[in-house]
Amino acid sequence: MSKEKLIIAIDGPAGSGKTTIAKKVAKALGYLHIDSGSMYRALTRKVIKEKIDLDNKAELLKVVKATRIDLKQVDGKFIVLLDGENVSDKLRTPEINKNINTIAAVPEIRRYLLEIQRKLGKDGGIVMEGRDIGTAIFPHADSKFYIDASIEERTRRRFKELSDSGKKVDLSKLEKSIRIRDEKDKTRDTNPLRIAEDAIVIDTTGLSINEVTQKILKEIEK
Ligand code: DC
């Protein structure tokens, strides 16, 4: 693979700043940015809308396999199309957050998304972020990063993000929901969130988005 066509994997827990940072890194490199969490979010939205019983695995898989998810970059903005509908602004709801770990824990669903995600990266030139990118999706990625921050800092960031977009949130409830999601992401049987052995760990507590982005770009250049 030529030097310009690298695969960059960025993993980390909720609220670590992955999406903002991955976007900036991809922009600086002229690469495609893929937020793999948005795929899980889109599937969860569909399952909720269709009122599928989350315990009915056969029904769940039937719906998932009949779902089309497209990720596109339009005017520099990342959009998610769920069966052709732009749902980008409808994926960060408390209801989706509450149900997403159940969907993300189903091995068949993970395998299904793994294939789509690997295809997106087959020619390189991609920055993909999520929970299992460096460990399961691209174990041979050219550079791997694990981005973390204290729970307090991550809660503050999410709180600001939600407040800025006009949503009312209770700080302690938010912290609790992040803790629960972390725990579920780290303890599921299939491809849990963990640090890849060859990942560079960056604690972003107290660092600005630009500082983290520069750190990552410097590592990639090495
Ligand atoms: O990155 P995010 O917060 O939008 O991700 C939402 C959820 O999706 C996360 O809690 C677990 C799931 N997810 C996953 O299991 N694997 C990924 N690669 C990305 C997200």
Side-chain angles (χ1 to χ4, degrees):
M1 193 178 286
S2 73
K3 187 102 177 71
E4 299 80 53
K5 290 282 203 173
L6 306 177
I7 294 180
I8 315 292
I10 301 183
D11 291 298
S16 55
K18 286 187 312 292
T19 303
T20 316
I21 289 159
K23 219 182 267 178
K24 284 194 168 263
V25 171
K27 194 166 178 214
L29 298 169
Y31 283 9
L32 181 67
H33 160 238
I34 298 291
D35 167 6
S36 66
S38 69
M39 297 177 166
Y40 288 92
R41 289 182 178 277
L43 282 183
T44 308
R45 175 178 163 87
K46 170 127 176 201
V47 165
I48 294 170
K49 273 195 95 179
E50 303 233 329
K51 299 191 166 54
I52 307 298
D53 172 5
L54 297 189
D55 294 325
N56 186 342
K57 213 158 120 185
E59 192 64 17
L60 206 56
L61 289 177
K62 209 168 110 192
V63 169
V64 166
K65 294 210 163 139
T67 302
R68 197 187 155 110
I69 298 173
D70 294 297
L71 305 179
K72 289 200 174 147
Q73 247 157 334
V74 178
D75 299 331
K77 209 179 163 236
F78 175 88
I79 66 163
V80 186
L81 299 173
L82 175 61
D83 296 323
E85 185 201 350
N86 182 356
V87 292
S88 321
D89 297 331
K90 299 173 181 159
L91 299 178
R92 296 195 173 269
T93 67
E95 205 184 6
I96 290 180
N97 285 346
K98 207 172 115 205
N99 292 290
I100 197 161
N101 291 104
T102 310
I103 305 286
V106 179
E108 290 87 346
I109 293 183
R110 300 202 71 84
R111 210 169 307 131
Y112 176 73
L113 290 183
L114 173 143
E115 277 169 30
I116 301 176
Q117 290 158 0
R118 282 198 182 153
K119 252 187 218 151
L120 285 166
K122 74 177 184 348
D123 297 325
I126 194 167
V127 179
M128 192 176 288
E129 41 126 346
R131 302 291 189 290
D132 59 348
I133 310 304
T135 53
I137 308 300
F138 298 122
H140 303 297
D142 299 283
S143 295
K144 297 180 187 177
F145 298 92
Y146 186 92
I147 302 206
D148 210 344
S150 68
I151 179 77
E152 294 80 12
E153 173 100 8
R154 293 188 287 121
T155 306
R156 267 197 303 275
R157 287 179 189 163
R158 269 284 146 86
F159 183 80
K160 185 170 184 309
E161 202 178 284
L162 292 166
S163 310
D164 286 352
S165 65
K167 296 195 179 94
K168 270 206 178 136
V169 262
D170 178 298
L171 198 64
S172 64
K173 271 194 196 151
L174 184 64
E175 178 175 326
K176 193 171 164 219
S177 82
I178 292 178
R179 276 188 197 278
I180 292 174
R181 204 137 64 81
D182 281 357
E183 182 62 20
K184 288 187 176 164
D185 279 337
K186 287 178 179 170
T187 55
R188 71 170 162 253
D189 289 335
T190 313
N191 302 342
L193 170 65
R194 60 180 180 80
I195 305 174
E197 271 172 28
D198 47 352
I200 294 165
V201 179
I202 303 178
D203 183 344
T204 69
T205 313
L207 293 182
S208 72
I209 297 283
N210 276 338
E211 283 170 321
V212 181
T213 307
Q214 289 313 316
K215 235 179 204 280
I216 290 181
L217 288 172
K218 259 195 207 134
E219 287 294 341
I220 293 172
E221 270 170 26
K222 273 185 190 168

